[in-house]
Amino acid sequence: MINNIKKSVQSFITSLKPTYAVEVDLYHVIPGVPVKSNKERHDFDKGEFQQAKTFFDKAIVKTSDLKLAPAEIKLIKGKKKVLEFKHFGPVDDIRPSKRKRR
């Protein structure tokens, strides 16, 4: 009985936690050709911050070992909030700018 209550409370608490994702953007730059980007998003379930953080750290190590540049790796909480990010190479100069319409 007590174990059932603990499990139900634990599942309720987990349902309130946010989801996490790791987004990896690789940019392909060829002179005279528009910049192409390859986005990959790895989603994690609610409350799996530790797994997402571990994957984020491994992605950074692997990208630096392979010397993939320009690249951008982001750890995202929920749908939009970026907790951590790492840039490899001149990502700010290459990334297409988002213009705001007035």
Side-chain angles (χ1 to χ4, degrees), residues 20-85:
Y20 294 94
V22 176
E23 193 173 275
V24 180
D25 299 334
L26 296 174
Y27 296 98
H28 305 284
V29 180
I30 300 172
V33 178
V35 176
K36 293 182 182 179
S37 67
N38 182 14
K39 281 190 175 185
E40 290 205 22
R41 184 178 174 103
H42 301 275
D43 294 317
F44 295 89
D45 290 332
K46 293 185 174 207
E48 292 187 350
F49 172 74
Q50 201 61 26
Q51 291 88 342
K53 177 68 172 151
T54 304
F55 186 84
F56 175 76
D57 293 337
K58 286 181 182 179
I60 289 175
V61 169
K62 190 70 167 181
T63 305
S64 64
D65 286 348
L66 295 176
K67 295 182 174 39
L68 295 174
E72 178 179 30
I73 303 172
K74 295 183 252 181
L75 176 61
I76 302 171
K77 177 181 178 182
K79 293 188 179 184
K80 295 182 182 179
K81 186 175 181 181
V82 177
L83 297 177
E84 295 183 41
F85 65 91

Side-chain angles (χ1 to χ4, degrees), residues 80-96:
K80 295 182 182 179
K81 186 175 181 181
V82 177
L83 297 177
E84 295 183 41
F85 65 91
K86 178 73 175 169
H87 293 207
F88 295 94
V91 174
D92 293 331
D93 298 335
I94 295 171
R95 185 175 348 146

